[in-house]
Amino acid sequence: MKKHIFNPGPCKLPEPVLENTANAVRELNQSGMSVMEVSHRGKDFEAVMEDAMSLLKELLDVPRGYSVLFLGGGASLQFAMIPMNFLKTKAAYLHTGTWAGNAIREAKVFGQVDVLASSEDKNFTYVPKGYRIPEDADYFHITTNNTIFGTEMLTDPDSPVPLIADMSSDILSRPVDVSKYAMIYGGAQKNMGPAGVTFIIIWDELLEKVADRPIPRILKYETHLSKGSMFNTPPVVNVYAVRETLLWVKNMGGVKEMEKLAKARADLLYKTIDESRMFVGTAVQEDRSRMNICFVMKPEYKELEPDFISYAAAKGIVGIKGHRSVGGFRASCYNALELQSVKLLADTMKEYEANKVK
Ligand SMILES: *Cc1c(COP(=O)(O)O)cnc(C)c1O
């Protein structure tokens, strides 16, 4: 039986994506070769890469003057590549969680980092507001969805300097005003496909702002842009699966439809949490993530947390254990997760509570 997958990442993928990718692994377009065996420079694979790039542009309504890249190295490599390429004197960062912290740490290798605001004082349960972005910063970096702590920025901020966003865990879950960003990037493994490929949407003019330091060729955006993401052999199977995932999003009605589904899943779970006498949410209401829903048991029931995980597992629900820095539970509800799985989790929470709370 297929599980109800609430994993934080890699995450659940749509059934047609798994099927079509499995078929392409066996044989790509009657070529007599697997997608793993064809030349990445041959017409069959080039079409896959071009399709993936144009689908991403179409789905996010990417304006002219932006390019798409699919690279290796994960979002974590971007934490280093961004400051290596664009931090000349100082960069501004918003500290909203573990991933934002990792991005800040890498940036410090290359220059001055102004952390404009941090929610570390309250274990990242909110997104800081009311900070001022310095006009002399080379760029401003944000993390739109904090996967571990379950907070999310649902509006695209205004920035007087190039805005760069890690959207690893909420890409394709809502329409985004790409024109407000100089760069959007992330690991594909939450909403866009399997692990092993990183998506980058980059404003072409950002390339004119490259820092004056020696940068290895493979770590320059320019290099990859000039080769259409084929400077070195791309992760072909992963790119294939990304293309399939993007097609699935399109066939489902695009990011507006994804947003409706994300709202429906999140509303149901948060309602269940808020009406519960046993469970309580950890993030402040106004900054709650639709993608990663974090909750714990109230102190008087706390010792039952591991038992609830087993109780849910018996119904095929997997991946709801919270990250160690928050504890309790985290239900990650990415694009491919069906509402029916969320209903099952909500019903399971109610049933468990009814058994235990007298
Ligand atoms: C998962 C995640 C990352 C890490 O991505 P890798 O591809 O594993 O490097 C970075 N940022 C956010 C917001 C994430 O959720």
Side-chain angles (χ1 to χ4, degrees):
M1 186 192 77
K2 189 83 189 186
K3 304 281 189 195
H4 300 276
I5 304 171
F6 288 85
N7 286 337
C11 73
K12 180 180 171 57
L13 288 172
E15 261 333 289
V17 172
L18 302 181
E19 246 173 68
N20 297 346
T21 305
N23 287 336
V25 164
R26 287 189 201 96
E27 183 177 6
L28 181 65
N29 307 341
Q30 283 111 41
S31 61
M33 290 180 270
S34 161
V35 64
M36 297 191 280
E37 296 168 324
V38 298
S39 164
H40 59 291
R41 299 188 190 284
K43 67 170 175 31
D44 286 309
F45 186 76
E46 272 192 344
V48 172
M49 180 64 100
E50 275 165 27
D51 247 25
M53 287 175 172
S54 62
L55 278 166
L56 182 56
K57 283 186 172 172
E58 181 186 336
L59 288 169
L60 289 180
D61 205 5
V62 176
R64 278 172 182 279
Y66 286 78
S67 301
V68 169
L69 289 171
F70 290 112
L71 305 181
S76 299
L77 178 59
Q78 296 308 305
F79 294 164
M81 249 172 96
I82 290 162
M84 183 183 259
N85 281 267
F86 304 121
L87 199 171
K88 295 178 190 165
T89 46
K90 74 169 183 186
Y93 277 73
L94 195 62
H95 192 7
T96 50
T98 308
W99 296 114
N102 289 351
I104 290 167
R105 192 171 55 197
E106 297 291 51
K108 283 180 176 166
V109 171
F110 297 97
Q112 186 187 329
V113 175
D114 280 10
V115 176
L116 303 188
S118 166
S119 46
E120 195 169 11
D121 58 337
K122 294 194 174 144
N123 201 30
F124 303 112
T125 47
Y126 67 102
V127 177
K129 290 158 200 83
Y131 48 85
R132 224 196 92 261
I133 305 163
E135 302 201 358
D136 59 346
D138 295 317
Y139 61 84
F140 174 43
H141 182 281
I142 58 172
T143 312
T144 51
N145 184 66
N146 298 286
T147 323
I148 292 177
F149 299 94
T151 63
E152 187 173 8
M153 294 168 84
L154 287 166
T155 50
D156 305 305
D158 293 307
S159 168
V161 299
L163 179 63
I164 298 183
D166 174 358
M167 292 197 187
S168 292
S169 53
D170 61 349
I171 190 78
L172 300 173
S173 70
R174 65 171 177 92
V176 168
D177 182 355
V178 176
S179 71
K180 285 191 163 181
Y181 298 86
M183 180 171 160
I184 293 170
Y185 71 96
Q189 66 273 20
K190 278 107 185 190
N191 263 339
M192 209 191 277
V197 56
T198 314
F199 62 88
I200 296 161
I201 301 167
I202 190 166
W203 181 44
D204 298 333
E205 284 180 41
L206 190 61
L207 295 175
E208 289 156 24
K209 303 174 190 290
V210 173
D212 182 23
R213 66 168 61 85
I215 301 173
R217 211 149 57 109
I218 191 157
L219 298 176
K220 286 183 189 168
Y221 291 98
E222 181 78 61
T223 306
H224 297 286
L225 284 164
S226 68
K227 301 281 185 194
S229 296
M230 302 245 204
F231 170 67
N232 63 327
T233 319
V236 289
V237 180
N238 314 63
V239 171
Y240 191 93
V242 164
R243 197 271 301 258
E244 289 303 312
T245 309
L246 294 169
L247 262 181
W248 176 83
V249 172
K250 183 177 168 171
N251 292 337
M252 290 287 289
V255 289
K256 282 215 177 86
E257 191 57 32
M258 291 297 117
E259 183 175 44
K260 271 190 217 152
L261 296 172
K263 275 185 185 155
R265 286 186 299 255
D267 287 351
L268 174 57
L269 269 189
Y270 285 125
K271 182 168 181 283
T272 307
I273 292 165
D274 291 340
E275 289 173 357
S276 165
R277 287 185 290 158
M278 174 176 252
F279 300 99
V280 58
T282 55
V284 303
Q285 298 247 359
E286 60 177 2
D287 296 325
R288 282 174 163 180
S289 168
R290 291 177 191 149
M291 297 286 103
N292 310 95
I293 293 161
C294 296
F295 54 104
V296 295
M297 279 184 181
K298 291 181 179 170
E300 59 269 39
Y301 302 109
K302 195 101 194 142
E303 78 275 11
L304 292 175
E305 284 181 348
D307 185 55
F308 178 68
I309 289 177
S310 317
Y311 188 83
K315 296 176 187 281
I317 295 169
V318 299
I320 59 165
K321 190 177 188 324
H323 188 275
R324 62 187 176 281
S325 45
V326 178
F329 314 99
R330 167 175 51 172
S332 296
C333 301
Y334 295 115
N335 281 351
L337 184 73
E338 281 155 17
L339 188 60
Q340 165 218 336
S341 296
V342 178
K343 281 192 179 129
L344 178 69
L345 175 58
D347 290 344
T348 303
M349 289 164 69
K350 287 176 198 158
E351 188 182 284
Y352 188 82
E353 178 174 334
N355 288 341
K356 300 287 179 183
V357 181
K358 298 299 170 202

